[in-house]
Amino acid sequence: SIGDRIGIATTSQGDSTKHRIVDIRGATDEQLQVASVDAGAQEAHLPAANAVDGNRGSLWSSYAGAPDSHWLRLNLSEVSNITRVRVYFQEPRHAPVFQVEVQTTPGGPWDLAANVTDGRHGWQEVTLDYNFVHSLRLVAVYESMWNRGFDGQKGAEPAWSGIWLNEIQVFGRIVGRTMPTVIVLDTPVTTDHIGGLREIEGRYFELAAEVVNMERTVTITGDHADFYESLEGYSTMMMNA
């Protein structure tokens, strides 16, 4: 219930935090699944797929690409209404100016959804409002990529060195699907990886997560039905403080 205190323990991260429920409502958007990805230019060992693998330690590189080839296209798994995009560039090969384009008909024209003129290192969120989107494309403006540096300063990084994009995430609502109910907390959860598998000395162990409601006495436990496919385990626990 709203106002309840809860504790969240993420075994896989060795982290436990306390929060208070401030709202329970329908979600405004959710992260959308990407069916496929390609790029105008990519290095063999740093392909476009790295930008959507959920691992910020990997990246897509457009090194030595032609001026008009520094783009990344994402084909969504389902037609969706797009609300925002999150990108993570690695400096100094970020895109100071980039555009987000959308395609509402397979093979159709690209519509400009956002023009970003303050591209930078780290996470950056771009707000969108476009319906019935099939595909989305991030296009770096080549002319803006000269003399890039660190911490927002000018440097010596040339445009031909391309861009490094660690991650891109697309959020919105799948057309025709009812959005899930979400619990809104007063402070952010410190990690979004809960449960799953971890390899320890060549063996895989299932890791649990617990949500402890400090006000109530109901216990619920269980794993995902597709545990072996998703590699995600999850259990919840509610008990007295």
Side-chain angles (χ1 to χ4, degrees), residues 29 34 52 62 103-104 126 142 155 165 182-183 211 237:
D29 62 14
V34 175
V52 294
S62 63
Q103 196 175 54
T104 56
V126 181
Y142 190 77
L165 181 65
V182 297
I183 296 175
V211 177
M237 182 183 300

Side-chain angles (χ1 to χ4, degrees), residues 10 15 17 33 36 46-48 55 77 84 106-107 112 148 169 198 203 207 215 220 225:
T10 55
D15 187 30
T17 54
Q33 297 298 309
S36 61
L46 297 172
N55 177 16
S77 295
R84 56 194 173 105
L112 179 63
R148 293 166 293 171
Q169 301 172 341
R198 174 175 289 182
R203 297 175 181 271
L207 300 172
E215 316 286 351
I220 305 174

Side-chain angles (χ1 to χ4, degrees), residues 31 49-60 88 90 123 165-169:
Q31 186 173 348
N50 284 357
V52 294
D53 64 359
N55 177 16
R56 211 175 70 197
S58 66
L59 58 85
W60 159 60
Y88 192 105
Q90 184 170 313
W123 282 115
L165 181 65
N166 298 68
E167 280 295 308
I168 181 170
Q169 301 172 341

Side-chain angles (χ1 to χ4, degrees), residues 47-233:
N50 284 357
V52 294
D53 64 359
N55 177 16
R56 211 175 70 197
S58 66
L59 58 85
W60 159 60
S61 169
S62 63
Y63 180 81
D68 61 353
S69 66
H70 300 273
W71 55 261
L72 182 77
R73 178 173 61 195
L74 285 68
N75 300 311
L76 301 178
S77 295
E78 299 185 65
V79 180
S80 302
N81 300 330
I82 305 300
T83 57
R84 56 194 173 105
V85 172
R86 297 181 74 224
V87 296
Y88 192 105
F89 287 110
Q90 184 170 313
E91 61 183 4
R93 297 185 186 179
H94 58 288
V97 178
F98 64 92
Q99 298 171 340
V100 179
E101 301 174 336
V102 296
Q103 196 175 54
T104 56
T105 303
W110 290 97
D111 297 330
L112 179 63
N115 185 52
V116 180
T117 58
D118 62 345
R120 55 187 181 273
H121 164 72
W123 282 115
Q124 186 169 9
E125 185 166 293
V126 181
T127 301
L128 305 175
D129 183 15
Y130 236 92
N131 296 333
F132 301 101
V133 174
H134 291 255
S135 301
L136 176 144
R137 185 167 67 173
L138 181 148
V139 182
V141 177
Y142 190 77
E143 290 75 14
S144 74
M145 294 159 53
W146 291 102
N147 304 119
R148 293 166 293 171
F150 293 86
D151 300 320
Q153 303 299 313
K154 288 291 186 179
E157 195 68 30
W160 53 260
S161 67
I163 59 174
W164 282 337
L165 181 65
N166 298 68
E167 280 295 308
I168 181 170
Q169 301 172 341
V170 184
F171 293 82
R173 299 178 295 275
I174 296 173
V175 173
R177 176 179 296 182
T178 301
M179 293 296 293
T181 299
V182 297
I183 296 175
V184 182
L185 304 178
D186 59 343
T187 54
V189 177
T190 56
T191 178
D192 59 5
H193 182 79
I194 298 177
L197 291 178
R198 174 175 289 182
E199 183 180 0
I200 302 174
E201 296 183 356
R203 297 175 181 271
Y204 286 92
F205 294 87
E206 177 186 348
L207 300 172
E210 294 78 40
V211 177
V212 182
N213 189 318
M214 299 177 179
E215 316 286 351
R216 303 179 185 277
T217 58
V218 180
T219 301
I220 305 174
T221 62
D223 290 321
H224 288 298
D226 61 347
F227 173 75
Y228 289 104
E229 289 75 25
S230 68
L231 300 183
E232 294 178 345

